[in-house]
């Protein structure tokens, strides 16, 4: 199997994002290797040897996606047996020509902590944890968004991702059998209807997820999952609550779609 390396003198998140996005276009399986914080020449040479070894084992050039500020580190990786792609500098020349400003390279700039942004995100994560699964209804006035949905439809991971990545205060509330039987919004949500966003999910997928937690229970049965999903979607439509299915999307995609549909913005620096 061909290898794909994601390398950086920082977290390697940028290399991963661009590399994965590029490789997703091709119907080929790769062995993915991420190597962050390659900050010295010695470490760069060690990585070069790892790339060369992967080439020797597979007989196919590894694809190497990297971002380095230090050109000496870049040169070491470029001397490997991999096919290298440098995303950080690929377009910096064009940007420089367009805006008329020289780039000032600095290690870890793409993911360094900005104090205000960091505070926003930590505060939002604390809020999401304190307001998970309908556990704390009194703080909904502070919420930027309240995710609703049946149990195991993706509310908690989405709330936490919105908090950690965007600094958005996201509460989440589970729709219970009583709520669905009555086909009404719970009293705790009525005053916050404009903040509500619904998640739904394919019943077969929901049953599979629930069976991992409570196998062979009514809770995990396909019949129960079909009933809950159908009634939740009816409740969304009745109350004109925007919603989407989490079935085929990652938490990153779900969060991005929510932001696009609601107009919520990332907390600024």
């Amino acid at each position: 199997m061909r290898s794909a390396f994601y390398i950086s003198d920082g977290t390697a998140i940028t290399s991963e994002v661009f590399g994965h996005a590029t490789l997703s276009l091709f119907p080929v399986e790769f062995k993915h290797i991420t190597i962050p914080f390659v900050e010295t020449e010695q470490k760069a040479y060690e990585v070069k040897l790892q790339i060369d070894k992967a080439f020797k084992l597979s007989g196919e050039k590894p694809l190497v996606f990297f971002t380095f500020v230090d050109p000496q580190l870049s040169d070491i990786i470029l001397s490997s047996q991999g096919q290298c792609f440098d995303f950080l500098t690929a377009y910096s020349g064009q940007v420089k020509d367009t805006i008329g400003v020289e780039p000032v390279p600095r290690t870890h700039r793409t993911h360094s902590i900005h104090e205000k942004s960091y505070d926003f995100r930590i505060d939002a994560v604390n809020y999401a944890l304190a307001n998970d699964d309908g556990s704390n209804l009194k703080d909904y006035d502070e919420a930027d968004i309240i995710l609703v949905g049946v149990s195991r439809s993706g509310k908690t991971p989405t709330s936490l991702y919105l908090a950690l990545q965007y600094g958005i205060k996201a509460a989440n509330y589970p729709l219970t059998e009583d709520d669905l039987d009555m086909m009404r919004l719970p009293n705790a949500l009525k005053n916050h209807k404009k903040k509500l966003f619904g998640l739904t999910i394919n019943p077969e997928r929901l049953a599979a997820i629930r069976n991992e937690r409570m196998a062979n229970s009514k809770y995990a049965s396909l019949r129960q999952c079909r009933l809950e999903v159908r009634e939740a979607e009816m409740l969304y439509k009745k109350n004109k609550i925007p919603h989407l299915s989490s079935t085929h999307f990652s938490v990153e995609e779900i969060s991005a779609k929510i932001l696009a549909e609601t107009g919520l913005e990332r907390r600024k620096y």
Side-chain angles (χ1 to χ4, degrees), residues 137 140 173 179 184-192:
L137 309 180
Y140 278 6
Y173 185 97
D179 298 326
R184 59 167 174 74
L185 282 178
N187 291 330
L189 301 181
K190 287 181 179 178
N191 293 331
H192 305 285

mmCIF file of all heavy atoms in Angstrom, residues 137 140 173 179 184-192:
data_model
loop_
_atom_site.group_PDB
_atom_site.id
_atom_site.type_symbol
_atom_site.label_atom_id
_atom_site.label_comp_id
_atom_site.label_asym_id
_atom_site.label_seq_id
_atom_site.Cartn_x
_atom_site.Cartn_y
_atom_site.Cartn_z
ATOM 1 N N LEU A 137 -30.925 23.258 32.297
ATOM 2 C CA LEU A 137 -31.828 24.048 31.462
ATOM 3 C C LEU A 137 -31.801 25.539 31.781
ATOM 4 O O LEU A 137 -32.267 26.348 30.977
ATOM 5 C CB LEU A 137 -33.262 23.535 31.631
ATOM 6 C CG LEU A 137 -33.461 22.021 31.448
ATOM 7 C CD1 LEU A 137 -34.931 21.662 31.653
ATOM 8 C CD2 LEU A 137 -32.988 21.583 30.078
ATOM 9 N N TYR A 140 -29.872 28.340 29.236
ATOM 10 C CA TYR A 140 -30.146 28.376 27.798
ATOM 11 C C TYR A 140 -30.152 29.794 27.233
ATOM 12 O O TYR A 140 -29.981 29.976 26.024
ATOM 13 C CB TYR A 140 -31.468 27.681 27.494
ATOM 14 C CG TYR A 140 -31.357 26.167 27.414
ATOM 15 C CD1 TYR A 140 -30.173 25.516 27.733
ATOM 16 C CD2 TYR A 140 -32.429 25.384 27.022
ATOM 17 C CE1 TYR A 140 -30.053 24.141 27.676
ATOM 18 C CE2 TYR A 140 -32.331 23.990 26.954
ATOM 19 C CZ TYR A 140 -31.139 23.387 27.285
ATOM 20 O OH TYR A 140 -31.032 22.023 27.217
ATOM 21 N N TYR A 173 -30.241 19.008 23.727
ATOM 22 C CA TYR A 173 -31.388 18.490 24.480
ATOM 23 C C TYR A 173 -31.920 17.238 23.789
ATOM 24 O O TYR A 173 -32.206 17.257 22.585
ATOM 25 C CB TYR A 173 -32.482 19.564 24.534
ATOM 26 C CG TYR A 173 -33.666 19.179 25.387
ATOM 27 C CD1 TYR A 173 -33.753 19.610 26.708
ATOM 28 C CD2 TYR A 173 -34.703 18.385 24.880
ATOM 29 C CE1 TYR A 173 -34.843 19.265 27.502
ATOM 30 C CE2 TYR A 173 -35.778 18.037 25.665
ATOM 31 C CZ TYR A 173 -35.841 18.475 26.974
ATOM 32 O OH TYR A 173 -36.917 18.121 27.753
ATOM 33 N N ASP A 179 -41.919 13.507 24.892
ATOM 34 C CA ASP A 179 -41.946 14.668 23.997
ATOM 35 C C ASP A 179 -42.510 14.277 22.637
ATOM 36 O O ASP A 179 -43.332 14.995 22.051
ATOM 37 C CB ASP A 179 -40.528 15.225 23.797
ATOM 38 C CG ASP A 179 -39.904 15.717 25.085
ATOM 39 O OD1 ASP A 179 -40.633 16.230 25.945
ATOM 40 O OD2 ASP A 179 -38.670 15.577 25.221
ATOM 41 N N ARG A 184 -44.961 17.749 20.813
ATOM 42 C CA ARG A 184 -44.842 19.148 21.210
ATOM 43 C C ARG A 184 -43.422 19.425 21.670
ATOM 44 O O ARG A 184 -42.708 18.506 22.103
ATOM 45 C CB ARG A 184 -45.809 19.477 22.337
ATOM 46 C CG ARG A 184 -45.594 18.634 23.587
ATOM 47 C CD ARG A 184 -46.338 19.172 24.779
ATOM 48 N NE ARG A 184 -46.249 18.284 25.932
ATOM 49 C CZ ARG A 184 -45.171 18.134 26.696
ATOM 50 N NH1 ARG A 184 -44.064 18.801 26.407
ATOM 51 N NH2 ARG A 184 -45.169 17.308 27.736
ATOM 52 N N LEU A 185 -43.040 20.686 21.600
ATOM 53 C CA LEU A 185 -41.734 21.074 22.117
ATOM 54 C C LEU A 185 -41.765 21.034 23.638
ATOM 55 O O LEU A 185 -42.746 21.457 24.260
ATOM 56 C CB LEU A 185 -41.382 22.489 21.672
ATOM 57 C CG LEU A 185 -40.884 22.693 20.246
ATOM 58 C CD1 LEU A 185 -40.648 24.173 19.998
ATOM 59 C CD2 LEU A 185 -39.612 21.907 19.987
ATOM 60 N N PRO A 186 -40.721 20.524 24.262
ATOM 61 C CA PRO A 186 -40.642 20.577 25.729
ATOM 62 C C PRO A 186 -40.716 22.020 26.211
ATOM 63 O O PRO A 186 -40.262 22.951 25.521
ATOM 64 C CB PRO A 186 -39.269 19.967 26.025
ATOM 65 C CG PRO A 186 -38.944 19.157 24.825
ATOM 66 C CD PRO A 186 -39.572 19.851 23.655
ATOM 67 N N ASN A 187 -41.278 22.219 27.372
ATOM 68 C CA ASN A 187 -41.430 23.579 27.905
ATOM 69 C C ASN A 187 -40.096 24.308 27.983
ATOM 70 O O ASN A 187 -40.030 25.526 27.766
ATOM 71 C CB ASN A 187 -42.078 23.523 29.292
ATOM 72 C CG ASN A 187 -43.528 23.093 29.229
ATOM 73 O OD1 ASN A 187 -44.221 23.343 28.238
ATOM 74 N ND2 ASN A 187 -44.002 22.435 30.285
ATOM 75 N N ALA A 188 -39.026 23.588 28.287
ATOM 76 C CA ALA A 188 -37.709 24.221 28.428
ATOM 77 C C ALA A 188 -37.207 24.832 27.128
ATOM 78 O O ALA A 188 -36.337 25.707 27.136
ATOM 79 C CB ALA A 188 -36.697 23.188 28.932
ATOM 80 N N LEU A 189 -37.770 24.391 25.988
ATOM 81 C CA LEU A 189 -37.289 24.859 24.687
ATOM 82 C C LEU A 189 -38.179 25.918 24.051
ATOM 83 O O LEU A 189 -37.754 26.597 23.117
ATOM 84 C CB LEU A 189 -37.172 23.676 23.723
ATOM 85 C CG LEU A 189 -36.244 22.532 24.137
ATOM 86 C CD1 LEU A 189 -36.235 21.447 23.065
ATOM 87 C CD2 LEU A 189 -34.825 23.026 24.413
ATOM 88 N N LYS A 190 -39.398 26.053 24.536
ATOM 89 C CA LYS A 190 -40.370 26.933 23.871
ATOM 90 C C LYS A 190 -39.887 28.378 23.780
ATOM 91 O O LYS A 190 -40.117 29.054 22.771
ATOM 92 C CB LYS A 190 -41.714 26.863 24.588
ATOM 93 C CG LYS A 190 -42.460 25.566 24.343
ATOM 94 C CD LYS A 190 -43.804 25.565 25.059
ATOM 95 C CE LYS A 190 -44.556 24.267 24.778
ATOM 96 N NZ LYS A 190 -45.840 24.215 25.509
ATOM 97 N N ASN A 191 -39.229 28.859 24.827
ATOM 98 C CA ASN A 191 -38.774 30.252 24.826
ATOM 99 C C ASN A 191 -37.478 30.461 24.038
ATOM 100 O O ASN A 191 -36.999 31.580 23.919
ATOM 101 C CB ASN A 191 -38.568 30.749 26.262
ATOM 102 C CG ASN A 191 -39.865 30.850 27.031
ATOM 103 O OD1 ASN A 191 -40.927 31.069 26.443
ATOM 104 N ND2 ASN A 191 -39.786 30.689 28.339
ATOM 105 N N HIS A 192 -36.926 29.371 23.508
ATOM 106 C CA HIS A 192 -35.648 29.452 22.779
ATOM 107 C C HIS A 192 -35.786 28.856 21.391
ATOM 108 O O HIS A 192 -34.802 28.348 20.826
ATOM 109 C CB HIS A 192 -34.565 28.715 23.571
ATOM 110 C CG HIS A 192 -34.409 29.176 24.979
ATOM 111 N ND1 HIS A 192 -33.798 30.365 25.322
ATOM 112 C CD2 HIS A 192 -34.821 28.616 26.155
ATOM 113 C CE1 HIS A 192 -33.810 30.508 26.639
ATOM 114 N NE2 HIS A 192 -34.429 29.466 27.163
#
